């Protein structure tokens, strides 16, 4: 097996494991919503310095995505949608390819550009949110409370 195929196989199994863990966490959240409020602490960077960190809005974006609100998810943190769609297609395409015993060669191939794109999304999100906050006094995350 080539090195790239080994990496894609590892990503495939890791992706399904993470999806399973996320489903378990979602189930626990549905069963015990009050328990999760204990773990929701404010961002230390935002609380201390008044600026959004590169990850600010990620939890709200994930909650919005789980509720089917793609627009709110995008505005809270676009990386969540990018990861959901890119990772989702990776898992679906590789699952179909494996079920067909590699007769259907539709498995999405890993490329470093996907990681670079994610990094660019994080940087742009950080810059745009803080630019809007400090120059135009627009706080994109101010009124988004999805987990309460």
């Amino acid at each position: 097996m080539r090195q790239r195929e080994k990496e894609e196989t590892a990503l495939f199994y890791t992706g399904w494991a993470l999806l399973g863990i996320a489903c378990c966490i979602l189930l626990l959240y549905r069963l015990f919503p009050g328990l999760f409020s204990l773990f929701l602490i404010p961002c230390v960077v935002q609380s201390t310095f008044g600026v959004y960190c590169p990850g600010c809005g990620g939890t709200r974006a994930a909650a919005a995505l789980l509720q089917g609100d793609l627009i709110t998810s995008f505005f809270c943190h676009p990386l969540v949608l990018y990861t959901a769609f890119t990772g989702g297609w990776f898992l679906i395409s590789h699952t179909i390819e494996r079920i067909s015993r590699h007769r259907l060669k539709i498995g999405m191939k890993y490329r470093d550009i996907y990681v670079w794109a994610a990094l660019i999304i994080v940087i742009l999100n950080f810059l745009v949110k803080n630019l809007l906050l400090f120059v135009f006094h627009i706080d994109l995350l101010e009124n988004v409370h999805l987990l309460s």
Side-chain angles (χ1 to χ4, degrees), residues 1-147:
M1 192 182 266
R2 295 183 345 218
Q3 181 64 26
R4 184 68 78 181
E5 289 172 356
K6 288 180 182 178
E7 291 172 357
E8 288 176 358
T9 298
L11 284 172
F12 175 76
Y13 289 120
T14 302
W16 278 112
L18 290 173
L19 188 60
I21 291 168
C23 287
C24 290
I25 291 171
L26 180 61
L27 178 65
L28 288 172
Y29 173 72
R30 297 282 184 197
L31 293 173
F32 310 105
L35 179 67
F36 282 81
S37 64
L38 298 173
F39 298 107
L40 293 176
I41 58 172
C43 175
V44 176
V45 173
Q46 206 273 334
S47 298
T48 306
F49 301 110
V51 298
Y52 286 120
C53 76
C56 273
T59 303
R60 286 174 269 203
L65 180 62
L66 289 173
Q67 293 175 5
D69 189 352
L70 300 180
I71 294 169
T72 300
S73 180
F74 177 79
F75 280 111
C76 286
H77 207 302
L79 183 67
V80 171
L81 277 179
Y82 172 79
T83 303
F85 287 116
T86 306
W89 175 245
F90 180 86
L91 290 177
I92 290 168
S93 66
H94 275 270
T95 299
I96 292 170
E97 186 171 314
R98 288 164 194 272
I99 288 173
S100 74
R101 297 185 184 176
H102 301 282
R103 287 189 296 267
L104 294 173
K105 299 275 185 193
I106 65 167
M108 178 181 168
K109 303 300 178 203
Y110 170 79
R111 307 266 189 271
D112 288 340
I113 190 71
Y114 300 129
V115 177
W116 287 108
L119 180 62
I120 290 168
I121 290 169
V122 169
I123 292 169
L124 286 175
N125 179 62
F126 170 76
L127 292 174
V128 168
K129 274 192 186 136
N130 286 306
L131 178 75
L132 288 172
L133 183 63
F134 290 110
V135 175
F136 300 105
H137 306 289
I138 298 171
D139 189 348
L140 291 178
L141 301 177
E142 181 178 33
N143 295 318
V144 182
H145 303 289
L146 296 165
L147 298 175

